Amino acid sequence: MQLAASTLDLQFDLPGLETAARKWATRARALVNRAACDDQENALGVAAFSLDSAAYFLDRGETDAARDALRAACSYAGCEEAGAPQLAEATRALLASLPA
């Protein structure tokens, strides 16, 4: 599955960011199903869970908690075991789009 951050239509409102986080969580779960090993499956699973958590916090307007969840997602998606640099890039874009 090819993930391209360029397809991520970011909006600077919280509902738009929530939708984008849920979209990327779904893509991360799809990658879990294609994982080549347990380490990759675990890293992608945590990234997906963290993206879902970020979406939940964005829905509640808790931007600090969402930021923490997105940092975790970015860390796990960007690790060598995950092998998902496009997912990490998209997560970084979400993180950068959070209002201050």
Side-chain angles (χ1 to χ4, degrees), residues 43 46-47 50 69-82 88 91-92:
V46 172
S50 297
L70 286 171
R71 284 185 185 128
C74 188
S75 176
Y76 279 94
C79 74
E80 184 178 340
E81 289 84 5
T91 305
R92 280 191 292 276

Side-chain angles (χ1 to χ4, degrees), residues 1-90:
M1 173 184 273
Q2 175 97 11
L3 297 178
S6 61
T7 64
L8 183 61
D9 183 22
L10 290 179
Q11 300 175 15
F12 291 98
D13 60 329
L14 295 184
L17 290 172
E18 176 196 354
T19 299
R22 290 198 192 287
K23 172 182 159 183
W24 285 100
T26 299
R27 291 182 180 191
R29 282 190 297 279
L31 290 174
V32 168
N33 293 334
R34 299 171 187 250
C37 64
D38 288 343
D39 289 343
Q40 184 179 32
E41 183 178 337
N42 291 337
L44 290 169
V46 172
F49 178 81
S50 297
L51 283 162
D52 276 330
S53 296
Y56 170 79
F57 290 128
L58 288 167
D59 182 49
R60 296 175 53 110
E62 299 176 23
T63 55
D64 289 338
R67 188 173 285 110
D68 290 342
L70 286 171
R71 284 185 185 128
C74 188
S75 176
Y76 279 94
C79 74
E80 184 178 340
E81 289 84 5
Q86 297 90 356
L87 181 62
E89 182 182 333

